């Protein structure tokens, strides 16, 4: 039996690739084959941005200054995909290509991440591919996220039509479960993010520890948004322990004047940095997950922007 997984997998984002790898392995634990359907959409990994104003110009100037490290990061993301993801031989660019011919799957699995967030897509609408509507095979949803607290006006009926086609539904957050109940009248249990379905040993087997990386005895700081309330805590921890600060760059802003910034880490190096840290400070969900996975003492904050709508879900 074979499952076709539709999820975010190609964007160079640590959480996206690691949740995709985890979902495949979790499904295979039940005795199924599982591969990601290579649906390539809205996922631009170009190092330099399309010119749109001062913001993109500043980003590109920073990229140029750190080009060697950022190009190595790019290479390491691509290598992790080749080494640890099972992806279909054929790439699909749009819905009609998927719907137009037979697919080698016994079920379609809508995987985790914010695949049901309409705001992610250029037209601000749901992408029906991530609801599996291109296939008449059985459809299951594991831990998808809407990423918004409410469904935009005028899109409720469309969403209900998509949800009615699933034999089993679940959600990654309580807000997502409530949306499914309100829109489709169906119970959708809140389930673990796929990265919590694997063991620390399984993640350690995918980790890498480059020779020029610190080997331990450091405070790892990983931020995906402005550090805000993390800064006083990070400074106090640095002062009281005397340990150096290593910043894994989810954002490019330097979070501490003495931080050693690591810009070239791919997903394997991400895992290695968490595995070897003495402490972790983070405002990232997956930063928290991998602190827990590797039993690292951690301190997590949530930025004010993420506490407000629409990110609070």
């Amino acid at each position: 039996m074979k499952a076709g997984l539709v999820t975010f997998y190609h964007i160079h984002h640590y959480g996206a690739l690691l949740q995709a790898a985890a979902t495949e392995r979790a499904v295979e634990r039940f005795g199924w084959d599982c591969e990601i359907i290579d649906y390539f959409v809205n996922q631009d990994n170009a190092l330099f941005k399309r010119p749109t104003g001062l913001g993109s110009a500043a980003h590109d100037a920073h990229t140029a200054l750190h080009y060697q490290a950022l190009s190595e990061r790019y290479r390491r993301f691509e290598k992790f995909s080749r080494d640890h993801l099972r992806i279909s031989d054929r790439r699909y660019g749009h819905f009609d290509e998927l719907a137009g011919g037979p697919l080698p799957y016994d079920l379609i699995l809508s995987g985790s991440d914010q695949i049901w967030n309409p705001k992610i897509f250029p037209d601000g609408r749901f992408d029906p591919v991530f609801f599996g509507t291109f296939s008449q095979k059985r459809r299951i949803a594991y831990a998808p996220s809407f990423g918004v607290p409410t469904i935009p006006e005028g899109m409720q009926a469309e969403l209900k039509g998509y949800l009615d086609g699933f034999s089993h539904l679940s959600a990654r957050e309580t807000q997502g479960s409530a949306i499914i109940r309100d829109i489709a009248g169906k119970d959708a249990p809140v389930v673990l993010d796929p990265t919590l379905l694997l063991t620390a040993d399984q993640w350690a087997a995918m980790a890498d520890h480059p020779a020029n990386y610190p080997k331990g005895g450091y405070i790892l700081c990983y931020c995906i948004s402005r550090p805000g309330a993390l800064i006083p805590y990070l400074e106090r921890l640095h002062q009281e322990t005397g340990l150096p600060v290593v910043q894994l760059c989810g954002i490019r802003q330097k979070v501490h004047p003495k931080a050693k910034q690591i810009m070239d880490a791919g997903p394997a190096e991400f895992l290695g940095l968490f595995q070897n840290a003495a402490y972790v400070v983070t405002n990232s969900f997956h930063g928290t997950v991998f602190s827990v996975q590797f039993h690292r003492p951690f301190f997590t904050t949530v930025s004010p922007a993420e506490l407000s709508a629409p990110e609070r879900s």
Side-chain angles (χ1 to χ4, degrees):
M1 304 289 279
K2 189 172 185 178
L5 171 63
V6 283
T7 191
F8 294 148
Y9 65 95
H10 187 268
I11 193 72
H12 286 183
H13 181 280
Y14 299 115
L17 263 72
L18 293 171
Q19 67 81 23
T23 303
E24 286 189 321
R25 283 159 178 76
V27 172
E28 288 169 350
R29 199 164 61 202
F30 291 101
W32 283 62
D33 290 332
C34 182
E35 73 177 17
I36 293 168
I37 297 174
D38 194 359
Y39 177 58
F40 190 87
V41 60
N42 194 33
Q43 299 181 20
D44 182 6
N45 297 315
L47 291 180
F48 293 98
K49 291 184 175 293
R50 186 180 301 119
T52 56
L54 290 177
S56 62
H59 177 278
D60 286 354
H62 185 276
T63 297
L65 287 171
H66 301 280
Y67 181 77
Q68 183 175 350
L70 293 170
S71 61
E72 179 63 13
R73 180 182 187 273
Y74 186 102
R75 186 193 69 80
R76 285 171 168 169
F77 265 88
E78 294 297 305
K79 182 178 187 300
F80 188 90
S81 293
R82 292 192 303 271
D83 292 347
H84 298 292
L85 300 183
R86 299 162 191 83
I87 301 173
S88 63
D89 292 334
R90 180 176 174 183
R91 172 171 288 183
Y92 301 89
H94 51 78
F95 179 93
D96 291 343
E97 289 182 4
L98 282 158
L103 296 170
Y105 307 116
D106 299 286
L107 71 83
I108 304 300
L109 177 62
S110 292
S112 187
D113 218 335
Q114 292 189 33
I115 57 171
W116 290 356
N117 182 351
K119 294 184 180 295
I120 281 179
F121 302 102
D123 61 359
R125 309 289 302 184
F126 295 115
D127 186 333
V129 168
F130 291 103
F131 294 89
T133 58
F134 54 84
S135 173
Q136 298 303 310
K137 297 293 178 65
R138 186 158 62 105
R139 285 184 268 155
I140 293 174
Y142 183 80
S145 172
F146 291 97
V148 292
T150 58
I151 300 305
E153 193 65 35
M155 297 172 64
Q156 292 88 348
E158 177 187 1
L159 177 59
K160 183 180 187 307
Y162 294 148
L163 296 176
D164 284 346
F166 283 88
S167 64
H168 294 80
L169 287 161
S170 63
R172 198 177 70 177
E173 297 102 3
T174 54
Q175 187 69 19
S177 178
I179 287 171
I180 292 170
R181 183 177 61 252
D182 293 344
I183 297 291
K186 295 185 176 184
D187 290 330
V190 178
V191 294
L192 287 174
D193 184 88
T195 52
L196 287 163
L197 298 178
L198 303 191
T199 66
D201 287 342
Q202 287 175 296
W203 287 121
M206 291 183 250
D208 195 12
H209 311 273
N212 63 331
Y213 273 34
K215 299 304 178 190
Y218 56 86
I219 301 165
L220 180 64
C221 182
Y222 176 56
C223 295
I224 57 168
S225 60
R226 292 184 181 276
L230 275 180
I231 295 298
Y233 188 88
L234 175 61
E235 178 57 29
R236 181 178 172 186
L237 189 61
H238 170 65
Q239 292 293 333
E240 293 191 5
T241 64
L243 294 175
V245 176
V246 173
Q247 180 184 351
L248 173 59
C249 289
I251 59 172
R252 299 189 183 189
Q253 168 194 347
K254 197 167 187 177
V255 299
H256 189 277
K258 296 182 180 178
K260 173 182 172 60
Q261 286 185 295
I262 294 182
M263 296 187 183
D264 61 1
E269 294 75 26
F270 172 101
L271 294 170
L273 285 165
F274 275 87
Q275 186 180 17
N276 286 331
Y279 301 93
V280 176
V281 293
T282 185
N283 58 19
S284 156
F285 171 77
H286 284 111
T288 307
V289 165
F290 287 101
S291 301
V292 172
Q293 284 282 22
F294 290 121
H295 297 245
R296 302 295 87 195
F298 68 92
F299 183 77
T300 297
T301 65
V302 180
S303 72
E306 290 170 340
L307 286 171
S308 65
E311 303 298 337
R312 65 184 180 185
S313 65

